[in-house]
Amino acid sequence: MSVTASTESTQSMSSAPAGEVLESLNPATGEVVGTYPVHDEEAVAEAVARARKAARWWSGLGFDERKNRLLAWKRTVVRRIDELARLMHAETGKPTDDARLETIGAIEHIDWAAKHARKVLGPRKVRTGPLAMNLAASVQYQPLGVIGVIGPWNYPILTPVGSIAYALAAGNAVVFKPSEHSPGVGAWIAETFAEAVPEEPVLQVVTGFGPTGAALCRSGVDKVAFTGSTATGKKVMATCAETLTPVIVEAGGKDAVIVADDADIEAAAEAVAFGAMGNAGQTCVGIERAYVTEKVFDAFVDRVATIAAGIRVGAQEDAQLGPITMPSQVEIIRKHITDAVERGGKAVVGGPESVRPPFVHPVVLTDVPEDSAAMTEETFGPTITINRVRDLEEAVAKANATRYGLGSAVYTRSTSKAMEIARRLRSGMTSINSVQTYAMVGALPFGGLGDSGFGRIHGPDGLREFAAAKSIARQKYRMPLPLLSFARKPRHMKLVMWVVRLLHGRGR
């Protein structure tokens, strides 16, 4: 199926010099899906300058009018969801129903950001305390200005919209650089937004490769929200540091699931298999490691293996698992599988022969050494390693023994046990008796620790990432004690110290 995206909208796509072009290729067939300009440093700077002007107009609309425009955009996305699913299938290879599901998640986030921005970011009064009783204090959150968003190819609408919608709801303009593997989806996002907001280029797209992203980092935007690999995230940080531009980094993961003795094994296996292999395993919060207690280990492995063996792989309409979108990842996946088997791991389903470019068929590994690449490095393919543990203490220790810290999951019928384990897992997010569900909840912040990055998108924390706290203290009347004055006398300080000791020097 050929899907060709338009690149003609002046609102959605910045002008670029004639010459170099970017071809978006279908990863399953190599067919050209669309052709896009490669924006250089000058073109990016021009886009940011236009966004600067648009930001002033957009922020001036206020929360209610921005909400109305964002909800109009949401309705446009809903109306054109099948069109987008076909485009995503063509550019990334993912099944169209998976593309629809991803888009539904993006729709939910547009809705949540639009409807909650005023409550989270609007002015609010704060208590001043007895030593500042003559002041009226308040805090509000002001837009930063222009936000640069650098998005990934694996979830080309859900992930960037997790930054774009919240940045827009906070009153900022956005310049979005999509992955070179999914430029058509990026152009589509801005094109549909322009239908709802035709007056100013509040959301623009620039396309290209690494240098385009670097130009965006150096362009003078007020913040950059990046999603991608840890290695690229470090490069983005280094580039942003040149201009002291703050950055949010949502990088890779090596997420673990813990399965306890009392877990619902059928439910756990179904969810973990999808969490590991859905989207061909190309998921930053994908389940790559499973730690299962001895009592249920064999039953869990058998059920996951049965599910994995039945997954339909290919480019056809009814396929459940598509190609590996980024060709260079295929060899990394092969290396991890081969290393695990050569070091004593058992391939219960598949093995090195499962790597058949551009596809990788499901692989289930057990008894893999904890220091192997398959356990320590992000595989980003349809594989899972399942290791046996004596108890939950060992499971938590091994789950936490990673430099990553993005998502995690736990399966147990005991709510109290589940909550205790969730709190102890070193990750930004944990799902209980489910996998990855936190990503679909608009009110929950999304982000990680360690090599998985820092900062948060989604929820109130996500809105505040794209705003600056503004504190205001207004004097209602003059204090009898001139503390912040050269007229202050020793007796004034003596009285103040008496008050401080009275308030803070004894009891609780």
Side-chain angles (χ1 to χ4, degrees):
M1 178 181 296
S2 175
V3 180
T4 302
S6 169
T7 61
E8 296 176 357
S9 170
T10 57
Q11 293 252 5
S12 64
M13 188 74 69
S14 301
S15 60
E20 189 178 3
V21 297
L22 163 63
E23 288 186 336
S24 173
L25 303 178
N26 183 313
T29 66
E31 177 186 10
V32 176
V33 178
T35 303
Y36 302 87
V38 174
H39 291 90
D40 61 13
E41 189 170 350
E42 182 180 355
V44 172
E46 291 172 356
V48 172
R50 288 191 295 272
R52 190 72 62 191
K53 175 176 175 291
R56 290 191 289 271
W57 172 81
W58 179 248
S59 64
L61 292 180
F63 288 110
D64 290 342
E65 186 56 32
R66 289 199 298 271
K67 179 181 75 171
N68 292 338
R69 303 296 185 92
L70 287 167
L71 295 180
W73 178 36
K74 177 192 73 170
R75 292 189 292 271
T76 300
V77 174
V78 172
R79 188 178 70 252
R80 297 175 60 180
I81 190 170
D82 290 336
E83 168 195 330
L84 176 61
R86 290 190 296 271
L87 176 58
M88 289 173 68
H89 172 70
E91 282 203 316
T92 70
K94 70 172 60 186
T96 52
D97 276 349
D98 285 2
R100 290 185 183 96
L101 186 63
E102 176 187 342
T103 307
I104 290 168
I107 289 165
E108 289 289 330
H109 283 294
I110 296 170
D111 183 80
W112 196 94
K115 292 179 178 177
H116 291 82
R118 175 185 284 278
K119 180 180 178 181
V120 174
L121 303 177
R124 57 183 171 83
K125 295 179 180 179
V126 298
R127 296 174 63 90
T128 59
L131 289 179
M133 63 178 63
N134 66 318
L135 301 178
S138 64
V139 62
Q140 62 188 73
Y141 295 84
Q142 300 178 337
L144 295 176
V146 179
I147 305 299
V149 175
I150 301 175
W153 49 264
N154 57 332
Y155 288 91
I157 185 167
L158 175 60
T159 301
V161 163
S163 295
I164 291 169
Y166 291 80
L168 292 170
N172 304 280
V174 173
V175 179
F176 171 37
K177 192 271 178 192
S179 166
E180 58 269 30
H181 296 287
S182 56
V185 176
W188 189 96
I189 290 170
E191 176 192 328
T192 53
F193 182 81
E195 287 188 28
V197 186
E199 297 93 336
E200 293 280 349
V202 177
L203 171 58
Q204 299 173 80
V205 165
V206 292
T207 50
F209 301 94
T212 303
L216 184 58
C217 291
R218 295 188 177 101
S219 66
V221 294
D222 299 288
K223 195 166 196 175
V224 170
F226 165 81
T227 304
S229 70
T230 300
T232 305
K234 291 177 180 179
K235 293 178 182 178
V236 167
M237 286 181 63
T239 305
C240 287
E242 296 173 12
T243 51
L244 217 61
T245 301
V247 61
I248 303 168
V249 174
E250 198 270 278
K254 194 70 181 174
D255 292 6
V257 60
I258 293 174
V259 182
D261 285 350
D262 63 345
D264 181 333
I265 296 303
E266 178 66 25
E270 287 282 350
V272 170
F274 185 82
M277 297 171 189
N279 201 36
Q282 301 167 120
T283 304
C284 59
V285 289
I287 300 295
E288 298 205 4
R289 301 175 293 148
Y291 294 106
V292 185
T293 54
E294 290 181 305
K295 181 178 178 181
V296 296
F297 179 82
D298 291 335
F300 180 80
V301 170
D302 288 346
R303 186 62 188 128
V304 171
T306 299
I307 296 167
I311 295 174
R312 298 187 300 277
V313 181
Q316 61 272 28
E317 189 65 30
D318 66 343
Q320 297 171 300
L321 190 153
I324 301 302
T325 306
M326 193 166 65
S328 61
Q329 194 66 29
V330 172
E331 287 308 310
I332 295 174
I333 298 168
R334 189 199 306 271
K335 170 191 166 188
H336 287 191
I337 298 168
T338 301
D339 179 65
V341 172
E342 288 179 348
R343 297 188 58 189
K346 179 182 178 183
V348 179
V349 174
E353 69 279 4
S354 299
V355 181
R356 309 169 203 170
F359 300 97
V360 175
H361 290 246
V363 176
V364 178
L365 302 164
T366 62
D367 304 319
V368 178
E370 290 293 321
D371 61 349
S372 68
M375 299 299 288
T376 61
E377 300 174 16
E378 188 176 33
T379 304
F380 225 58
T383 71
I384 186 170
T385 56
I386 308 174
N387 280 355
R388 189 189 317 258
V389 291
R390 294 183 306 274
D391 51 31
L392 295 178
E393 286 297 317
E394 182 182 2
V396 171
K398 288 185 173 180
N400 286 343
T402 174
R403 66 183 187 275
Y404 295 102
L406 194 53
S408 57
V410 56
Y411 272 83
T412 171
R413 286 187 169 93
S414 168
T415 299
S416 60
K417 185 191 302 181
M419 292 301 294
E420 179 192 355
I421 293 171
R423 293 186 184 104
R424 293 175 60 194
L425 286 170
R426 183 185 170 275
S427 62
M429 305 157 292
T430 301
S431 57
I432 295 173
N433 294 327
S434 63
V435 297
Q436 304 163 350
T437 45
Y438 40 73
M440 305 297 283
V441 181
L444 283 177
F446 185 103
L449 307 168
D451 274 17
S452 292
F454 52 86
R456 294 296 183 266
I457 58 175
H458 303 174
D461 297 82
L463 284 167
R464 294 188 187 106
E465 285 280 5
F466 300 108
K470 175 70 174 183
S471 301
I472 299 175
R474 177 177 59 85
Q475 182 171 274
K476 298 183 292 186
Y477 55 86
R478 294 185 65 181
M479 286 283 279
L481 302 179
L483 299 181
L484 302 180
S485 168
F486 290 113
R488 183 182 62 219
K489 305 298 183 185
R491 67 176 183 275
H492 297 147
M493 281 304 301
K494 184 177 180 180
L495 180 56
V496 168
M497 292 305 300
W498 178 83
V499 172
V500 169
R501 290 188 180 101
L502 180 67
L503 292 174
H504 304 294
R506 54 183 185 172
R508 290 182 294 178

